[in-house]
Amino acid sequence: MNLVEFESVSKHYRLGEVEVSALDQVDFTVCEGDFVALTGPSGSGKTTMLNLIGCLDYASSGEIRVLGQPVSQLEDKALDQLRSRTYGIIFQNFNLVPVLTALENVALPLHLHRLPAVEMDRRARAALEAVGLTRFADFRPDQLSGGQRQRVAVARALVTEPKLILADEPTASLDSASALSLVELMKKLNREQRATFVFSTHDQRLLAHVDRVVELRDGRLTAAAETAQSAGAKRAAPATGDSEVA
Ligand SMILES: Nc1ncnc2c1ncn2[C@@H]1O[C@H](COP(=O)(O)OP(=O)(O)OP(=O)(O)O)[C@@H](O)[C@H]1O
Ligand SMILES: [Mg+2]
C-alpha cells in the first residue's frame, strides 16, 4: 500500500525579490514497510521534503497524496486528524520534556488518544522495551546518554503505532557509534514491527544499512535515487550497487 505519493511536487520559497526553488518536480512514493534515507548536500531539500511528507507544509505545485487523499483538498481539521493518525516524529534534538521520566515522555502522545491509564502505561512500557530501555523507565532525560535519549524519542514516536515515522537528521546530535546503533534499532523496528521510516542523514556511513537511499541535489532526485526508488518499489535490489540490504 502506498502511504505517501508525490506527483511532480515543487516547493518555492520567496525571499524578497528572489525565489528559491527548494524542491523541483519530485516524483516519490513511500510504501508501507519502507525504510528510506533521504540524503544530499546541505540545502538540497531534505528538510523541505520531510516537511511536505509530514503535511507540515504545502507544495507550491504538483500533488501530494497521503493514504490516497490529496492533501491540498483537505480542510485544516481533516489535515490535523490525518497528521495525528498517520505520523510519528523523531526530532534531531530529541525534544524530551526534562522534568518527566523516560516512561512519562513516551506516554505523552497517548494523552491525545484518550486511552485508559492502564492501557497508556502498558503501551508506553512496551515501546520502551522495544528500544531496549526497560531498565531506564524512571530516569529523567538528564540522567540518560544522548543515544539513550534518542531511543526514548524513538519509543515516543512509535507508541501511537503511526503508519509512518519521520525523522530529520535523527543522528546529528550523536557520536558515530550511537548513530549507527540508532539506525540499527530503527531497522530492527522496521523488520519486526513493520514500522515504516523515512529519515534524512548527511552521514554516508549509515547508508550501507538502509534498503532505499533517495538522493537530492538542488531540489531534484538524482538518477541514482530513481534507481533506488524502483528497486525499493519492487522490494528487490539494494539502493546502491555496493551496499547490502541490512
Ligand atoms: N523557510 C524558508 N525560506 C526560504 N528559503 C528556504 C526556507 N526553508 C528552506 N529554504 C531553502 O530551500 C533550500 C532547501 O532547504 P532544506 O532546508 O530543505 O535543505 P536540507 O537538505 O535540509 O539542508 P541541511 O542538510 O542543511 O539541513 C535551501 O536553499 C534553503 O535555503
Ligand atoms: Mg535539513
Side-chain angles (χ1 to χ4, degrees), residues 174-177 179-180 183 201-210:
L174 304 178
D175 61 75
S176 57
L180 181 57
V183 169
T201 181
H202 271 114
D203 190 340
Q204 293 298 315
R205 285 164 307 179
L206 297 179
L207 299 180
H209 303 266
V210 176

Side-chain angles (χ1 to χ4, degrees), residues 13 15 20 22 41-48 169 202:
Y13 293 105
L15 284 177
V20 181
S42 182
S44 59
K46 302 180 296 296
T47 297
T48 302
E169 314 233 9
H202 271 114

Side-chain angles (χ1 to χ4, degrees), residues 26 38 54 108 121 181 203 211 218:
V26 169
L38 295 182
L108 263 188
D121 186 71
S181 129
D203 190 340
D211 308 349
D218 299 328

Side-chain angles (χ1 to χ4, degrees), residues 6 46 132 161 184-185 224 242:
F6 275 33
K46 302 180 296 296
E161 298 176 1
E184 281 173 348
L185 169 69
D242 57 357

Side-chain angles (χ1 to χ4, degrees), residues 148-170:
Q148 288 167 335
R149 281 181 219 173
Q150 195 55 310
R151 282 170 181 256
V152 174
V154 172
R156 183 183 54 187
L158 273 177
V159 78
T160 56
E161 298 176 1
K163 297 214 161 29
L164 177 55
I165 297 170
L166 301 176
D168 196 3
E169 314 233 9

